[in-house]
Amino acid sequence: MATDFKSIPIIDIGPLLAKCDDPKMGQDSGVAQVVKQLDQACKEAGFFYVKGHGIPETLLKQVKNLTRKFFELPYEEKLKIKMTADSGYRGYQRIGENITKGVPDMHEAIDCYKELKPGMYGDLGKPMEGCNQWPIKPTNFKMLMEEYVSLCTELSRNIMRGIALALGGSPYEFEGERAGNAFWVMRLIGYPGVHSANDSDIPKEDIGCGAHTDYGLLTLVNQDDDITALQVRNHSGEWISAPPVPGTFVCNIGDMLKIYSNGLYESTLHQVINSSPKYRVCVAYFYETNFDTAVEPLDICKERTTGAKKFERAVYGEHLVKKVQTNFVC
């Protein structure tokens, strides 16, 4: 359960990554220290920054710069990859098309998902079947983004090994039938600036992205270095800013990890309000379970929470489809 945290911790995960392929990694003192920090962050805030993650800062900047160049294109060019239900909810959304709790979000985005072949998951996967719509302009967009997704997938798998240890399990709790073939989502998001940097001048309906939790296991947020817009709600209901820390990812846990942990870890509400006059870019990568995984509390977590199961079984794909179909207006 989230506490009354006032700031979000920064964790150097270098020691964890150095041992991530060692089955005995949990016995390493450096890993143990990282695991302790992950456990505390997941319990207290559900959010943390990671540094020492191994993905070059130059690539983090390239991804944001190319995203910005796409959003600077004429509207007609962006519409060439317009998102529809027929595209498997992949492609470009104009400002106001994404909906959070019934209210249009003031951002534009490209939504991408791990590609599903027809029939791969039967009726469960049908709404999400399709290929990602990558723009022709800017050049090299597809190649760069696919490289980035690959690196984020590997990084997320390794962070989840640390979280598995933090929960008291083996490093591989979230592999195999749970997330050995992990689904992923990536949203490339642009938030228009405002004419005044005075928060009181921003209408409530102009929130960049309304208060929500994430769907899956772990999110990696690569945000602009010079604009503070992401806010996280603590237990008292205060909105705590997550200011940019260059070279880091902001990480948060999602609904599926909350279930696996039987409530030991919370998927914390967060929102985005860009009160800057500058356009803000954010690239959010979401690491999920296998698409068809039935998620329920781990035995090790039930033992740590009085033995009772606090959450019912949830199928990740059903959870995702329900969220996607209510978050998008054609």
Side-chain angles (χ1 to χ4, degrees):
M1 185 68 180
T3 62
D4 288 336
F5 60 90
K6 300 297 183 183
S7 62
I8 297 168
I10 301 174
I11 303 174
D12 183 351
I13 60 169
L16 172 69
L17 299 186
K19 296 287 186 177
C20 63
D21 292 324
D22 183 352
K24 297 180 180 179
M25 59 189 289
Q27 299 174 19
D28 181 85
S29 60
V31 170
Q33 185 60 34
V34 175
V35 166
K36 181 180 178 181
Q37 292 177 72
L38 287 171
D39 185 50
Q40 183 175 358
C42 290
K43 283 178 178 174
E44 295 183 358
F47 269 75
F48 52 93
Y49 297 85
V50 294
K51 65 178 184 178
H53 50 70
I55 297 181
E57 188 171 356
T58 52
L59 180 58
L60 301 185
K61 290 180 178 179
Q62 278 182 297
V63 166
K64 287 179 291 194
N65 289 341
L66 213 57
T67 298
R68 192 184 314 276
K69 286 181 180 179
F70 172 81
F71 289 135
E72 289 171 349
L73 292 172
Y75 183 56
E76 295 73 19
E77 185 69 28
K78 292 186 280 192
L79 280 182
K80 290 180 180 178
I81 60 165
K82 177 177 171 59
M83 177 198 290
T84 65
D86 290 341
S87 70
Y89 298 94
R90 293 165 165 81
Y92 172 71
Q93 289 180 303
R94 60 184 174 84
I95 293 171
E97 281 189 331
N98 197 78
I99 305 293
T100 301
K101 296 181 180 176
V103 179
D105 291 320
M106 294 300 102
H107 69 250
E108 56 186 329
I110 301 176
D111 284 9
C112 316
Y113 299 89
K114 186 173 185 176
E115 295 181 355
L116 300 185
K117 295 178 181 178
M120 184 180 290
Y121 294 108
D123 290 343
L124 174 66
K126 193 168 183 60
M128 305 304 301
E129 290 175 358
C131 298
N132 288 315
Q133 297 195 78
W134 300 111
I136 296 173
K137 298 177 183 178
T139 57
N140 297 324
F141 196 95
K142 178 178 184 286
M143 181 178 68
L144 185 73
M145 296 303 171
E146 289 184 337
E147 176 190 359
Y148 183 74
V149 165
S150 177
L151 291 172
C152 286
T153 300
E154 183 65 20
L155 174 60
S156 299
R157 181 182 298 114
N158 290 331
I159 295 173
M160 287 305 302
R161 288 178 176 174
I163 290 175
L165 289 169
L167 286 170
S170 84
Y172 310 114
E173 292 291 338
F174 298 109
E175 296 177 31
E177 293 183 358
R178 293 188 179 118
N181 184 29
F183 193 71
W184 58 262
V185 181
M186 183 169 71
R187 301 198 75 223
L188 313 171
I189 313 170
Y191 298 92
V194 294
H195 294 300
S196 169
N198 186 340
D199 284 350
S200 64
D201 292 343
I202 304 171
K204 289 183 180 178
E205 65 269 24
D206 281 356
I207 290 176
C209 188
H212 65 284
T213 59
D214 292 344
Y215 314 155
L217 292 175
L218 182 71
T219 305
L220 307 181
V221 177
N222 174 13
Q223 58 180 340
D224 268 345
D225 289 341
D226 57 349
I227 300 172
T228 298
L230 176 61
Q231 301 176 349
V232 185
R233 198 174 78 171
N234 70 12
H235 184 62
S236 293
E238 295 176 282
W239 288 103
I240 307 301
S241 290
V245 179
T248 69
F249 286 102
V250 183
C251 299
N252 62 280
I253 64 175
D255 298 337
M256 297 298 107
L257 185 52
K258 176 181 178 177
I259 295 173
Y260 274 132
S261 73
N262 207 30
L264 283 169
Y265 297 165
E266 184 74 32
S267 50
T268 311
L269 278 171
H270 51 286
Q271 65 182 13
V272 177
I273 300 178
N274 183 15
S275 58
S276 165
K278 297 175 65 175
Y279 191 95
R280 175 181 182 265
V281 166
C282 166
V283 179
Y285 169 89
F286 306 87
Y287 184 78
E288 320 287 71
T289 66
N290 298 347
F291 190 82
D292 59 350
T293 292
V295 178
E296 53 190 336
L298 300 173
D299 288 341
I300 51 173
C301 296
K302 286 188 289 185
E303 291 169 7
R304 291 178 61 185
T305 51
T306 71
K309 186 169 73 170
K310 296 182 179 181
F311 300 96
E312 294 303 314
R313 175 179 174 274
V315 176
Y316 167 75
E318 291 177 357
H319 188 65
L320 174 71
V321 169
K322 181 180 178 181
K323 293 274 191 178
V324 168
Q325 291 181 335
T326 56
N327 280 10
F328 174 61
V329 174
C330 295

